[in-house]
Structures are given as C-alpha cells and as structure tokens.
Amino acid sequence: MPTATFEKKLDHIVTTFKILVAAHRWTAERVVQALAPFGYLLDVQTDGLSAQKALLESPPHLVISAVDLPHPDGFTLLRLLRSNPKIADTPFMMIVSGTSPDEEIRAFQLGADEVVSDSTSDIAFRARVRVLLRLSTYRTRLQNEKRMLGILVAERTRELTEITLAMVTALEKATELSDVETGGHILRVSSYSGLISEELGLSSEFCEKLRLYAPLHDVGKVGVPDHILKKKGKLTPEEYEEMKKHTLYGYELLQAAKADRVACNIALSHHERWDGSGYPEGLKGKGIPIEARIVSVADVFDALATARHYKPALHPKEALNMLLGELRHLFDPMILDAVQRRKEDLLAIHSKET
Ligand SMILES: [Fe+2]
Ligand SMILES: [Fe+2]
C-alpha cells in the first residue's frame, strides 16, 4: 500500500500548484485533508459566487468543484470557466454524489476533465489530481512554445520585409538612374495604384503590395540600350521592338531576385491592354493579372499628364477624360469605374506629388 511519503516522491511538480476548491464546508474539508500534506496551494471557497470571483481574479492550475456547491452550483462554475477564453483551458474536476450517474454525464457534457464521487478513495482522488495538474503543465508549456513561435515568426517577417524594402528601394533607384522615369512618376504611379486598388475593395495586404511594387513596373528599362531609351525622335520599328523588351527584362530581373509574384506580374504585364492589343504576350481582358491592369491605368494616366522629352503634358483632367473616353477600350471597365469615382482624389495626388 503506498504511503503519503511515496506519493510525495511521485509528486515532484506539485508544490507550486494552486488549486481552487469550491464546495460546501464538509466536502471542502475532505478535499483539504486529502491534499494538505502535499504542499498544494489550496484556495477554498464554500459558495458559488465567491468561487467565481476567485477563479476570475486569480486563475488556478486546477479547479475542484462539488456539483452541490451552493449559490450557484458547480455546473454554473464549469460553464463560466469554459466560456471564458482566458481560463477555458484550466483543468476541471467535478465531485458528484456517488449515486447520481446523471450528474456525471452532465459534468462531462459541460466539459469537465474528470469526475469523482464522494466515495472515491483519497489515493485515487490524489492520483487524478496529479494527472490533471500534469495536463495543466503541458498546456502551459504548449502555450509558451506557441507564444515563442509567434515571436520568432514576427521577427522573421520583419527581417524579410526589411530586405524586400531595401531591394525595392535599390531597384527604384536603378530605374531613376537610367534617366527614363523620374522619382515623381514612380511615386505617383504607386499612389494611384494604391488608391484604385482600395476603391476596388481588394484586401489591405494586396493594396499594400501594389503600392510597394508598382514603382518597379519599368525596372527592366535598365536593360534597354541608352541610345534607344534617350532617343529624342520617333523610334524605328526595330528600336520599338527592343524597347518593348523592358517588360521581359523586368520580369526576369525580379524573378531572379525572387521577388513577390505581384511585382513580377506588374513588370511583365503592365503594357498588356484589355482589348488584347498590348505586349509582350497580347493578353486580353481578365487574362491580364489584376495588379498589371491597375498599374497600366495608373501608368498611362501619369504619362499623359506629364511632359516627356518627346511630348508635352496634357492637363490632368484632360488626361483622365481621355482615359475614360477615347482610350476606354484599352482598360478594364471595372477599374475605369473606380477611377471615375475617385477622380478628384487622383487629381489631388497629381497636383500634390508633381
Ligand atoms: Fe513600361
Ligand atoms: Fe511608367
């Protein structure tokens, strides 16, 4: 027959555990008698309301409650525990009257981890208490590991975001240095694209990506020879074919840098047109990725409203009217509707960032 000392040896983790004992006086005294020699911190409450208060104010590692706890009963305490996300995982042992199988079934249905009766021996009772406290330890350990994992993931995500930002900034600079796109154009295309994507109701994560990657739409121009890029007059058909390749160069560059799919799609397809007349693949309608459809509208609007070395600027309102009028067939109608709704905001961005 195991002695109390033997049980103590088994219980190397028990001394710091706090147990809430919620029962009317004579059951509570029996529980205290059975557990007191083992060093548990016992918080005894002899009515339901005090037990609820103690449970919420100082959550224990284990709750042992009698069904017939007065005002309100043990079932109410169990329900309260399981419905509160902060303490819902706390192990719960219910003490039922030895002659009531209905109480036992109900206790399990409400989420009790263990049910004992008032006729359970002290040794069996303590063994079950130990099992539940181990359960509590494992749950706590699991929660801590989950929290640590969350911190690690957040840290890695932050590092990755920093690397991405550094890469995007470096590539933006490269585009600027190639002397074909000004910093202002890059910023405005990013702002227009962000605004349009928000108006379309796309997810905030996607809108953020669009703002981040839209500036890279022409990054492939670094691969086009200077005499073509900076040519003052009209390009010959051969030169124009070479110029069109900036979409492929940009795509290849971003693919090689393992950039996000959204960035690669923008670089490759921002010259595709809704009616299939664009390049490099002649994609049509919704076959063009949405990110490229948005950036193409933003890019063309800004190009029309900005002076380039080969053409004067249109008034921004005129540029928008042209986009929504004679050039309408080139763009996604859904995006043009969004442009129409946010006309004023687009014009405000133009005047602020020019
Ligand atoms: Fe382009
Ligand atoms: Fe552009």
Side-chain angles (χ1 to χ4, degrees):
M1 187 78 174
T3 62
T5 322
F6 175 75
E7 285 185 68
K8 267 187 184 173
K9 274 187 189 163
L10 285 178
D11 253 340
H12 55 282
I13 52 171
V14 298
T15 47
T16 55
F17 285 120
K18 182 176 173 187
I19 302 174
L20 172 63
V21 180
H24 49 75
R25 192 157 300 280
W26 71 267
T27 304
E29 273 169 13
R30 240 202 94 190
V31 171
V32 171
Q33 228 171 21
L35 298 180
F38 297 89
Y40 299 111
L41 265 171
L42 300 173
D43 178 5
V44 179
Q45 301 296 337
T46 52
D47 70 87
L49 280 181
S50 315
Q52 287 182 7
K53 200 165 166 253
L55 183 63
L56 296 172
E57 280 176 5
S58 170
H61 296 97
L62 167 67
V63 178
I64 301 174
S65 172
V67 165
D68 54 359
L69 173 73
H71 317 297
D73 64 8
F75 290 131
T76 310
L77 188 66
L78 176 54
R79 243 185 259 115
L80 173 85
L81 179 96
R82 293 293 179 241
S83 64
N84 184 331
K86 280 190 187 154
I87 49 171
D89 282 343
T90 312
F92 194 104
M93 177 190 276
M94 188 72 91
I95 304 174
V96 298
S97 108
T99 52
S100 174
D102 288 352
E103 285 180 352
E104 182 176 349
I105 290 167
R106 188 149 176 240
F108 279 128
Q109 280 173 339
L110 288 175
D113 296 289
E114 183 60 277
V115 177
V116 296
S117 78
D118 45 16
S119 59
T120 304
S121 74
D122 282 1
I123 288 177
F125 173 67
R126 283 195 289 265
R128 289 171 187 179
V129 165
R130 277 198 298 275
V131 169
L132 292 182
L133 288 173
R134 281 194 194 110
L135 184 67
S136 166
T137 307
Y138 296 144
R139 277 179 180 165
T140 310
R141 225 177 266 170
L142 209 65
Q143 278 163 0
N144 287 343
E145 276 168 18
K146 219 167 118 186
R147 211 169 298 139
M148 280 306 296
L149 214 62
I151 293 170
L152 271 177
V153 169
E155 179 68 11
R156 291 285 172 277
T157 308
R158 194 184 56 75
E159 281 174 16
L160 207 64
T161 308
E162 275 174 13
I163 292 169
T164 307
L165 278 174
M167 186 191 79
V168 170
T169 312
L171 291 174
E172 269 178 46
K173 266 275 158 290
T175 317
E176 265 186 80
L177 286 175
S178 72
D179 207 24
V180 285
E181 302 285 17
T182 65
H185 170 72
I186 284 171
L187 276 179
R188 287 190 301 273
V189 171
S190 166
S191 302
Y192 300 145
S193 303
L195 183 80
I196 295 169
S197 59
E198 277 158 23
E199 180 60 27
L200 289 169
L202 299 169
S203 75
S204 56
E205 193 198 349
F206 188 83
C207 297
E208 215 27 67
K209 278 188 183 180
L210 210 54
R211 277 184 198 278
L212 183 64
Y213 299 127
L216 301 182
H217 63 280
D218 272 342
V219 68
K221 283 190 177 168
V222 295
V224 177
D226 266 8
H227 71 273
I228 299 176
L229 268 186
K230 297 174 186 172
K231 187 172 174 182
K232 292 268 191 289
K234 203 171 181 300
L235 297 180
T236 65
E238 295 74 32
E239 286 168 341
Y240 184 54
E241 284 310 307
E242 187 55 40
M243 179 66 114
K244 279 158 73 174
K245 287 187 190 158
H246 78 275
T247 49
L248 299 168
Y249 297 153
Y251 178 73
E252 279 165 21
L253 195 151
L254 291 168
Q255 281 273 78
K258 298 201 175 3
D260 193 277
R261 188 182 49 81
V262 171
C264 299
N265 286 345
I266 290 172
L268 180 66
S269 304
H270 68 281
H271 285 284
E272 298 290 0
R273 297 294 178 243
W274 187 253
D275 63 357
S277 63
Y279 65 87
E281 298 174 282
L283 300 177
K284 207 173 174 179
K286 290 192 175 164
I288 308 165
I290 179 96
E291 50 271 39
R293 274 182 267 151
I294 295 172
V295 172
S296 75
V297 171
D299 190 31
V300 171
F301 167 54
D302 199 66
L304 290 172
T306 315
R308 299 274 166 101
H309 58 74
Y310 50 87
K311 66 156 195 70
L314 284 182
H315 187 279
K317 274 189 185 164
E318 216 179 312
L320 270 184
N321 288 340
M322 189 181 260
L323 213 63
L324 297 166
E326 61 193 271
L327 299 181
R328 198 172 179 89
H329 58 288
L330 299 178
F331 305 104
D332 181 348
M334 177 181 76
I335 295 173
L336 292 182
D337 286 347
V339 167
Q340 175 81 52
R341 290 195 296 274
R342 303 301 295 268
K343 228 171 163 177
E344 294 308 317
D345 296 313
L346 291 166
L347 292 171
I349 292 173
H350 187 273
S351 60
K352 197 174 136 209
E353 294 182 10
T354 303

